[in-house]
Amino acid sequence: MIAQIFAVIIFLAMFVLIVTEVLERHVITLGCGLLTLLLVFGVGMRSMDAVIETLNVKSIFTLSFWYAAGEASESSSGINWATIIFVAGMMIMVEGMARVGFFRWLCMKIAKMVHYRVVPIFVTFMILSSFLAMFIDSITVILFLAAVTIELSQLLKFNPIPMILSEVFCANLGGSATMCGDPPNIIIGTSLGYSFGDFMQNTGILAGVSLITILIYFYFAFHKELEQSAAKIGDTASYPDPREAITDKRGFVVSALIFLCAVVLLVTHAQTGLTVAFIGTFIAIVTLITSGKNALSLIKKVDYKTLLFFIGLFVVVGGLEQTGILNLIASFIGRISGGNVMLMVAIIIWISAIASAFIDNIPFAATMIPVIKSLAATQGVDLSILAWTLAIGTDIGGSATPIGASANVVGIATAAKDGYIIKWGKYCKVMAPATVIVVLLSMLLIYVRYF
Amino acid sequence: MNKQLIISIGREFGSGGHEIAQKLSDIYQLTLYDQNILEEIAKKTNLDHNELRELEETKRNKLLSRTVRGMNNSATHNVTLLQFDFLKKKADAGESFIVVGRCAEFVLKGHPAVISFFVLGDHDVKKQRIMELYHLSDIEARAMMYDNDRRRKQYHNSYCPSKWGDSRYYDLSINSSKLGIDGSVKIMCEYINARIVEM
């Protein structure tokens, strides 16, 4: 009982501290993780086994961590090292691509392909945002896309805010399509043993239908404003040449090939048996080797704070799991849904979406994974349906408010640097209805497809 | 004047800090920056500067904002950063100016042309000045003074490691109630002139 009380207090304190930003979030989760080890496992449970299981270090030294012949499942208990290693590897690859100007080139190339016409740029950038976010973290996608959007807005005299908001929404939506698109999906996939293909066939289809719907929504919401504010297109020959964005031609080709290789490895990992931990490590090593003297600067650019945040978070959630708190939550959801799976899906998708609109979706998803696992075991529900529901709820819900997802913050801050201030009202007026539409649509699609 | 001169003035509400800045601006023929910084920013972006004005010199709401890799969604935070950036660019471009508030003594710290002041005042003198200036009752003036000083303090202390009004972080702190506005300006001019010689 004392262990459960400690676990809940530490978890709630962690959430409050993250929201209030008293300290940097990695310091908060690491501190709370340490308290979990000491108070929950040490004082409360007096269990060294719980500590070892939560730290989960030995899993790294097993063959199945790197190569899983068949449908091997990772343990959801404790630190999910596969997620951390994969995220670190992708960070190095993305930094390598950014260094050579890949993202800026891609954005400018597309703008040139549509002859710098504002509405076609608006539509193609939404699609580009979704596509890139399927493989690359949405922060990087928006950092580059928003910067190029502002540059083009100054050139073509249009208000960049509608375009940036649409790109942010599509980045979050694209992230929901694949296993590596959004951190909650990586955690769900590695914790429950789902492959890239599993996500593509389930959340991928939901995201695809939602993208078509949301393209229409944003088109009708913004096309008049964009057409009105856009100046007549001048001599496009005087516009920046996409090739100018490339800082290192050889590095550019190599980066593009590595990215392609990463996509192929991810798409085929269920067939090849290579785990995401292996793919992340492999991609990072290849990027570093081919970067030569720039390798050290790439390593320095890795967002270690996010990786440390993950580690601390997994330990705190491990405390809740080991003390049985998450089983209690699962049985509560089971009770109020009365065993009705459709109601269970509705509860999970809307609670996930609403919670993710206001709090970080990564701790939420990490907490909910053991809950849905327990629900599936006790209520006899297909775990995969709950997993896709959780993924969509957490990934999409974050779009509703400016603080719901990292991409939103980055998009707003990038626009603000050039004086385009996006307040809560302006943001939510367009993004909250879009979020409700997609969550509702996804719920209906889940009902149609799985029931 | 050939030398670059930047005067930053922090002030308590009702102390006459703004009026002092205006007089120094006239004496040294310097551009005065206060809320008009937002007009400059608004001009560049076609935004309504009145919309920006309600966001300035205000502490961000932590519950409604989030930081990701050093970036924040808060409109007040971003307006503040735009103003800081504006001041830094002006200073780096070699311009001379006077700036009121906006954490300028911290933002421009280390710049050789900066002279920083903090203008404070006696409670009753400040209250009397506010009552006359805004035609308010005793209670209303006190409330206005309290609210503005609290807002300025929260804003300043959330962006600067130094505390608002702490004399250790300004070159000179002066109580304008003792010598009045003109008397304070005179003392401040003497100090500025002495510093200019040293620059």
Side-chain angles (χ1 to χ4, degrees):
Chain A
M1 186 65 181
I2 187 79
Q4 287 184 331
I5 293 169
F6 276 139
V8 171
I9 290 173
I10 292 169
F11 181 76
L12 292 177
M14 180 188 78
F15 254 111
V16 171
L17 291 171
I18 288 174
V19 170
T20 53
E21 294 186 346
V22 176
L23 296 164
E24 286 199 70
R25 63 180 196 156
H26 69 285
V27 177
I28 296 166
T29 61
L30 284 176
C32 290
L34 190 64
L35 284 176
T36 301
L37 294 176
L38 292 172
L39 298 177
V40 179
F41 301 145
V43 178
M45 293 173 70
R46 297 178 190 280
S47 167
M48 198 58 198
D49 288 344
V51 174
I52 292 167
E53 202 174 321
T54 301
L55 292 178
N56 206 16
V57 179
K58 66 177 181 191
S59 70
I60 302 172
F61 303 100
T62 59
L63 179 65
S64 63
F65 185 84
W66 304 99
Y67 175 75
E71 293 285 309
S73 170
E74 301 282 345
S75 164
S76 71
S77 199
I79 301 172
N80 187 330
W81 291 107
T83 294
I84 291 160
I85 291 172
F86 175 72
V87 171
M90 293 303 272
M91 280 177 182
I92 291 174
M93 180 192 78
V94 167
E95 286 301 336
M97 292 168 80
R99 182 185 68 80
V100 296
F102 180 87
F103 297 109
R104 204 178 118 73
W105 169 83
L106 188 60
C107 298
M108 295 308 269
K109 185 78 182 170
I110 286 174
K112 192 178 179 184
M113 279 166 67
V114 296
H115 307 292
Y116 298 98
R117 284 174 298 150
V118 176
V119 173
I121 290 175
F122 169 61
V123 175
T124 50
F125 273 24
M126 279 197 277
I127 297 168
L128 177 67
S129 179
S130 278
F131 175 75
L132 286 177
M134 287 168 67
F135 305 99
I136 292 165
D137 69 287
S138 54
I139 296 177
T140 306
V141 172
I142 292 302
L143 261 179
F144 286 94
L145 216 45
V148 172
T149 300
I150 289 168
E151 192 180 335
L152 289 171
S153 77
Q154 284 157 359
L155 205 65
L156 304 171
K157 308 284 179 234
F158 66 86
N159 179 3
I161 292 176
M163 217 182 266
I164 290 173
L165 290 180
S166 317
E167 289 159 5
V168 164
F169 192 94
C170 289
N172 291 330
L173 185 58
S176 72
T178 66
M179 183 174 163
C180 60
D182 209 11
N185 292 20
I186 304 168
I187 302 170
I188 291 169
T190 50
S191 299
L192 303 176
Y194 295 122
S195 69
F196 190 91
D198 293 331
F199 272 88
M200 279 300 284
Q201 286 162 27
N202 294 282
T203 58
I205 290 171
L206 297 175
V209 176
S210 300
L211 178 63
I212 295 165
T213 312
I214 224 61
L215 283 176
I216 297 166
Y217 170 84
F218 279 126
Y219 178 80
F220 282 108
F222 290 135
H223 80 102
K224 276 187 187 162
E225 187 181 343
L226 288 169
E227 279 167 351
Q228 278 167 5
S229 60
K232 206 174 174 185
I233 300 160
D235 178 17
T236 55
S238 63
Y239 291 170
D241 185 345
R243 282 175 297 186
E244 288 170 8
I246 301 169
T247 57
D248 171 0
K249 277 186 184 170
R250 183 193 149 273
F252 178 84
V253 174
V254 172
S255 285
L257 287 173
I258 292 173
F259 177 56
L260 200 65
C261 178
V263 172
V264 170
L265 285 174
L266 284 166
V267 172
T268 59
H269 84 111
Q271 288 74 38
T272 59
L274 301 174
T275 63
V276 289
F278 178 89
I279 295 169
T281 309
F282 175 73
I283 290 298
I285 291 171
V286 173
T287 304
L288 292 173
I289 291 171
T290 54
S291 299
K293 62 181 189 312
N294 296 306
L296 193 63
S297 72
L298 291 186
I299 291 173
K300 281 181 184 169
K301 281 183 181 169
V302 168
D303 185 7
Y304 294 104
K305 291 178 180 176
T306 295
L307 302 178
L308 293 171
F309 165 76
F310 276 125
I311 292 172
L313 171 69
F314 287 132
V315 175
V316 176
V317 174
L320 288 178
E321 197 180 357
Q322 294 280 350
T323 53
I325 293 291
L326 299 180
N327 286 337
L328 292 176
I329 296 172
S331 58
F332 175 71
I333 295 174
R335 263 205 314 278
I336 57 168
S337 61
N340 182 333
V341 188
M342 286 174 88
L343 186 58
M344 227 177 267
V345 165
I347 290 171
I348 291 171
I349 200 165
W350 285 105
I351 287 183
S352 305
I354 293 166
S356 300
F358 297 97
I359 56 172
D360 199 328
N361 65 359
I362 301 169
F364 185 83
T367 312
M368 283 298 287
I369 290 165
V371 173
I372 61 164
K373 212 173 171 183
S374 173
L375 260 178
T378 55
Q379 306 283 327
V381 186
D382 184 348
L383 177 60
S384 66
I385 298 173
L386 300 183
W388 313 138
T389 305
L390 176 65
I392 287 290
T394 50
D395 297 341
I396 304 302
S399 293
T401 69
I403 56 169
S406 302
N408 317 358
V409 177
V410 172
I412 292 169
T414 307
K417 273 183 199 161
D418 279 83
Y420 296 99
I421 303 295
I422 305 171
K423 292 200 277 187
W424 264 71
K426 189 183 278 182
Y427 182 95
C428 294
K429 192 179 165 189
V430 181
M431 302 291 263
T435 307
V436 172
I437 290 169
V438 171
V439 173
L440 190 64
L441 178 67
S442 301
M443 188 181 76
L444 295 174
L445 288 171
I446 289 170
Y447 286 166
V448 170
R449 181 157 178 202
Y450 303 109
F451 295 98
Chain B
M1 190 168 58
N2 295 326
K3 288 177 183 171
Q4 186 186 12
L5 175 63
I6 299 170
I7 301 170
S8 95
I9 297 184
R11 75 291 185 211
E12 285 181 348
F13 190 73
S15 66
H18 196 276
E19 195 180 336
I20 288 172
Q22 188 63 59
K23 285 182 186 285
L24 290 174
S25 158
D26 294 339
I27 293 166
Y28 290 96
Q29 296 292 297
L30 300 175
T31 309
L32 174 63
Y33 288 126
D34 51 9
Q35 287 185 339
N36 56 0
I37 295 177
L38 295 177
E39 284 168 31
E40 302 261 347
I41 294 167
K43 254 186 250 168
K44 189 186 154 201
T45 57
N46 296 321
L47 290 173
D48 178 6
H49 80 269
N50 288 320
E51 193 186 344
L52 295 178
R53 187 171 285 185
E54 66 190 50
L55 299 168
E56 74 148 2
E57 283 209 302
T58 311
K59 184 189 168 196
R60 78 180 163 95
N61 185 332
K62 284 193 174 182
L63 287 177
L64 297 180
S65 62
R66 189 174 150 196
T67 307
V68 174
R69 296 194 195 173
M71 290 175 273
N72 196 287
N73 66 286
S74 161
T76 53
H77 176 80
N78 288 318
V79 167
T80 300
L81 294 189
L82 283 174
Q83 294 192 79
F84 288 176
D85 190 48
F86 177 91
L87 293 174
K88 280 181 198 162
K89 278 184 181 158
K90 290 283 176 192
D92 292 343
E95 279 191 37
S96 295
F97 57 89
I98 296 186
V99 55
V100 180
R102 284 140 195 92
C103 304
E105 91 287 350
F106 167 70
V107 174
L108 303 175
K109 192 179 175 185
H111 197 289
V114 174
I115 301 173
S116 62
F117 293 102
F118 188 81
V119 183
L120 59 149
D122 292 341
H123 182 273
D124 289 344
V125 179
K126 288 190 296 180
K127 187 186 69 184
Q128 193 59 39
R129 190 167 180 278
I130 294 164
M131 284 167 69
E132 286 166 13
L133 208 58
Y134 298 100
H135 309 293
L136 298 176
S137 67
D138 181 287
I139 293 172
E140 287 170 333
R142 264 194 292 180
M144 192 178 193
M145 194 162 69
Y146 174 77
D147 285 346
N148 277 285
D149 277 345
R150 189 188 56 164
R151 188 171 51 81
R152 282 176 186 173
K153 187 177 180 179
Q154 284 180 339
Y155 159 76
H156 182 281
N157 294 352
S158 66
Y159 287 100
C160 313
S162 55
K163 299 289 176 212
W164 180 71
D166 185 333
S167 60
R168 287 173 298 177
Y169 301 101
Y170 301 87
D171 293 336
L172 185 72
S173 290
I174 186 163
N175 184 336
S176 63
S177 305
K178 303 300 178 196
L179 296 172
I181 301 293
D182 289 332
S184 301
V185 168
K186 194 178 159 203
I187 297 291
M188 289 163 82
C189 284
E190 282 176 21
Y191 180 78
I192 292 166
N193 294 338
R195 285 284 304 273
I196 290 172
V197 173
E198 297 293 319
M199 278 180 185

